[in-house]
């Protein structure tokens, strides 16, 4: 059973991929996510798409999970999206996401904090 929930939605008309993440990600969640991501993103020309990662319902990221999140950022970078936008509901999560983007050199990323 997963501790976190996620969805990956590819919208061909608007050229946008939306990933919604909820809960508290653990290693087993990341494995499922990576497999689903590769299956869905492998069939599109990512360079023509924007990626929006909705993290408003993501629990603050623990130090133990940071390496997994960094690997996901590297995966987003390798996919070659035109633009990557992370949406967070707290300044704390927003700062974590910005720090990881900088560390992984995901230069086309922006983080937006939206209060719920």
């Amino acid at each position: 059973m997963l501790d976190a929930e996620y969805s990956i939605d590819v919208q061909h008309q608007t050229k946008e991929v939306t990933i919604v993440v909820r809960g508290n990600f653990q290693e087993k969640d990341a494995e499922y996510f990576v497999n689903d991501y590769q299956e869905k993103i492998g069939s599109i020309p990512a360079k023509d798409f924007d990626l929006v990662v909705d993290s408003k319902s993501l629990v603050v990221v623990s130090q133990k999970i940071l390496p997994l999140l960094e690997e996901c950022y590297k995966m987003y970078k390798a996919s070659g999206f035109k633009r990557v936008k992370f949406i967070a509901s707290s300044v704390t999560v927003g700062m974590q996401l910005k720090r990881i983007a900088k560390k992984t050199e995901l230069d086309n990323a922006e983080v937006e904090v939206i209060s719920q």
Side-chain angles (χ1 to χ4, degrees), residues 54 56 85-91 111-116:
D54 182 342
K56 292 189 303 266
K85 180 178 183 178
F86 295 95
I87 303 172
S89 63
S90 76
V91 173
V111 177
E112 181 179 347
V113 177
I114 299 175
S115 300
Q116 290 185 332

Side-chain angles (χ1 to χ4, degrees), residues 47-65:
K47 66 178 177 38
D48 297 331
F49 282 71
D50 288 338
L51 173 64
V52 177
V53 182
D54 182 342
S55 305
K56 292 189 303 266
S57 299
L58 182 65
V59 176
V60 174
V61 180
S62 70
Q63 292 300 317
K64 179 181 168 189
I65 302 305

Side-chain angles (χ1 to χ4, degrees), residues 14-15 33 43 55 57 72-73 75 99 104 108 112-113:
T14 59
K15 302 252 187 238
F33 173 78
S43 65
S55 305
S57 299
C72 287
Y73 275 51
M75 189 172 61
R99 220 176 1 254
T104 59
N108 62 339
E112 181 179 347
V113 177

Side-chain angles (χ1 to χ4, degrees), residues 37 45-49 75-83 108:
Y37 176 89
K47 66 178 177 38
D48 297 331
F49 282 71
M75 189 172 61
Y76 302 154
K77 181 179 180 177
S79 294
F81 286 100
K82 199 168 39 169
R83 185 176 73 119
N108 62 339

Side-chain angles (χ1 to χ4, degrees), residues 2 13 23 40 63 67 82:
L2 301 178
Q13 302 84 349
K40 290 185 178 177
Q63 292 300 317
K82 199 168 39 169

